[in-house]
Amino acid sequence: MENCLFCGIAEGKIPSKKVYEDDTFLVFQDIQPAAPVHVLIIPKKHIATMNDVGEEDFAMLGELHRVAQKVAKELGIAETGYRLINNCGPDSGQAVYHIHYHLIGGTKLGALVESSDSHAI
Ligand code: 5GP
Ligand code: ZN
């Protein structure tokens, strides 16, 4: 997909700090970490949002959980805990329209819902 930031990162055209890579997935450091551990897990295939996931993609996204589990272990947050977050669409604040999962940990994370009209991660 042309003009997609994360396709550019997946293809190595845009530099990133890689944490894990295989034929299907790439994991790299978030440029603006929200916690001591904050990496992004992406499929190399361009899928814009969760809404665009097709029947043929679900098995692959299941495998993404295997990668998340492995990376969490390698980054030392498996036992202390972490969040795996997908933002989908405007209300979520999704900024990059190439599906990705934030793997966040390394500190005590705030409550998911802080009040009735706002939220934290
Ligand atoms: P979203 O809000 O779409 O779920 O999250 C996008 C994430 O991508 C943000 O956490 C942001 O810091 C990260 N990000 C944006 N541009 C870049 C970039 O060029 N490189 C890296 N490594 N992360 C980026
Ligand atoms: Zn893309």
Side-chain angles (χ1 to χ4, degrees):
M1 180 63 129
E2 268 180 67
N3 299 325
C4 170
L5 177 62
F6 287 176
C7 280
I9 287 178
E11 289 161 16
K13 291 178 184 158
I14 296 166
S16 69
K17 290 185 183 166
K18 289 181 193 174
V19 171
Y20 171 86
E21 183 170 20
D22 62 26
D23 288 346
T24 312
F25 303 105
L26 179 67
V27 184
F28 54 98
Q29 300 285 353
D30 195 292
I31 208 166
Q32 226 180 327
V37 175
H38 187 172
V39 298
L40 300 172
I41 306 174
I42 63 167
K44 291 184 174 178
K45 176 180 178 180
H46 181 85
I47 301 170
T49 81
M50 185 65 80
N51 291 334
D52 302 297
V53 173
E55 198 55 49
E56 69 281 8
D57 300 316
F58 285 118
M60 179 272 286
L61 290 178
E63 286 297 313
L64 185 145
H65 287 76
R66 189 193 303 279
V67 173
Q69 186 192 62
K70 177 183 164 66
V71 169
K73 216 173 275 177
E74 285 173 2
L75 295 179
I77 57 169
E79 300 307 322
T80 47
Y82 52 86
R83 286 197 184 128
L84 186 63
I85 298 169
N86 168 252
N87 288 322
C88 178
D91 275 1
S92 76
Q94 182 176 2
V96 179
Y97 278 73
H98 177 127
I99 197 167
H100 55 278
Y101 293 75
H102 300 253
L103 177 65
I104 297 177
T107 189
K108 194 93 179 163
L109 300 168
L112 202 57
V113 175
E114 288 190 327
S115 75
S116 57
D117 60 358
S118 69
H119 63 276
I121 56 166

